[in-house]
């Protein structure tokens, strides 16, 4: 199948089959490709063949081989960007304080206010929205500095949001600065703890290789 335009309904319909067909082949044709390979450099009017989650070939004039063909002329294909610090849980709070002019006003509005009444579902919504908007901006890896882990359920909801979006993500959990919380952090990330969650990181890595758990460090 060939369709013109990367957002045409026909192409999008085919690409949605990725969730049920892990071997689906997609061929992007006619793009400018930033390979990040010193031997290849930047390729113009070139093609890129993907099978499932693997790039199979890069170069000009690739054979479709029953792949879904995406007309990528006029576009740039490049490795995804990496966002190394984002407080994903706050995403739905955008634009609530457009005139803030100092850190103190931000802290009083968010960390001492909204954060203290966040439910696990709110963590999920914010983190999922952050991941989706990151992907939409070309960011495929995101470190979520999640400093509102009030309960284990809050952390689980944030992790699940990363999983559900498909982004490569690092959940760097941290206890909140203000308000009541379970004091489960950082023991819930420590092997051998008595919280019944000691192997969360290892289990997540086995089940979801694109996701990691980390313990962030505060600056001086």
């Amino acid at each position: 199948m060939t369709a013109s335009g990367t957002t045409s309904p026909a192409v999008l319909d085919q690409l949605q089959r990725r969730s049920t067909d892990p071997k689906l082949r997609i061929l992007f044709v006619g793009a400018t490709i930033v390979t990040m390979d010193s031997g290849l450099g930047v390729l113009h009017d070139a093609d890129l063949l993907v099978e499932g989650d693997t790039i199979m070939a890069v170069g000009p004039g690739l054979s479709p081989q029953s792949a879904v063909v995406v007309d990528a002329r006029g576009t740039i294909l490049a490795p995804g960007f990496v966002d190394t610090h984002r407080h994903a849980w706050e995403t739905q709070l955008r634009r609530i304080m457009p005139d803030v002019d100092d850190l103190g006003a931000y802290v009083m509005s968010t960390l001492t206010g909204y954060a203290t009444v966040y439910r696990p579902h709110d963590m999920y919504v914010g983190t999922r929205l952050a991941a989706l908007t990151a992907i939409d901006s070309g960011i495929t890896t995101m470190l979520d500095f999640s400093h509102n882990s009030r309960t284990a359920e809050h952390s689980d909801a944030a992790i699940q949001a990363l999983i559900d979006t498909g982004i490569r993500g690092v959940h760097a959990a941290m206890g909140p600065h203000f308000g009541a919380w379970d004091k489960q952090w950082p023991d819930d990330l420590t092997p051998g703890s008595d919280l019944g969650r000691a192997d969360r990181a290892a289990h997540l890595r086995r089940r979801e290789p694109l996701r990691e758990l980390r313990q962030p460090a505060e600056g001086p």
Side-chain angles (χ1 to χ4, degrees), residues 40-138:
L40 295 176
V42 177
L43 304 179
H44 300 279
D45 193 21
D47 306 339
L48 185 145
L49 178 63
V50 177
E51 181 177 307
D53 295 328
T54 303
I55 296 176
M56 303 299 292
V58 178
L62 298 181
S63 172
Q65 300 177 5
S66 71
V68 176
V69 178
V70 176
D71 183 354
R73 290 174 295 178
T75 68
I76 298 173
L77 300 184
F81 295 110
V82 178
D83 185 337
T84 61
H85 189 125
R86 183 178 294 216
H87 300 301
W89 64 270
E90 297 183 75
T91 306
Q92 66 266 56
L93 302 181
R94 290 173 175 173
R95 299 184 178 89
I96 62 169
M97 46 192 309
D99 298 324
V100 65
D101 57 3
D102 60 43
L103 180 62
Y106 155 76
V107 169
M108 293 303 296
S109 176
T110 57
L111 301 186
T112 68
Y114 293 104
T116 63
V117 294
Y118 252 54
R119 304 162 300 173
H121 178 69
D122 300 318
M123 296 290 290
Y124 178 88
V125 170
T127 304
R128 180 164 184 168
L129 181 58
L132 290 175
T133 54
I135 293 171
D136 188 56
S137 301

Side-chain angles (χ1 to χ4, degrees), residues 23-38:
K23 293 297 184 180
L24 175 65
R25 298 169 69 86
I26 304 172
L27 179 64
F28 299 88
V29 298
T32 296
I33 302 177
V34 182
T35 68
M36 303 302 291
D37 184 310
S38 59

Side-chain angles (χ1 to χ4, degrees), residues 120-163:
H121 178 69
D122 300 318
M123 296 290 290
Y124 178 88
V125 170
T127 304
R128 180 164 184 168
L129 181 58
L132 290 175
T133 54
I135 293 171
D136 188 56
S137 301
I139 297 168
T140 56
T141 301
M142 180 180 76
L143 185 146
D144 175 20
F145 196 131
S146 189
H147 60 341
N148 197 29
S149 296
R150 299 189 173 274
T151 69
E153 288 71 26
H154 281 68
S155 290
D156 286 347
I159 294 167
Q160 190 60 51
L162 296 177
I163 294 172

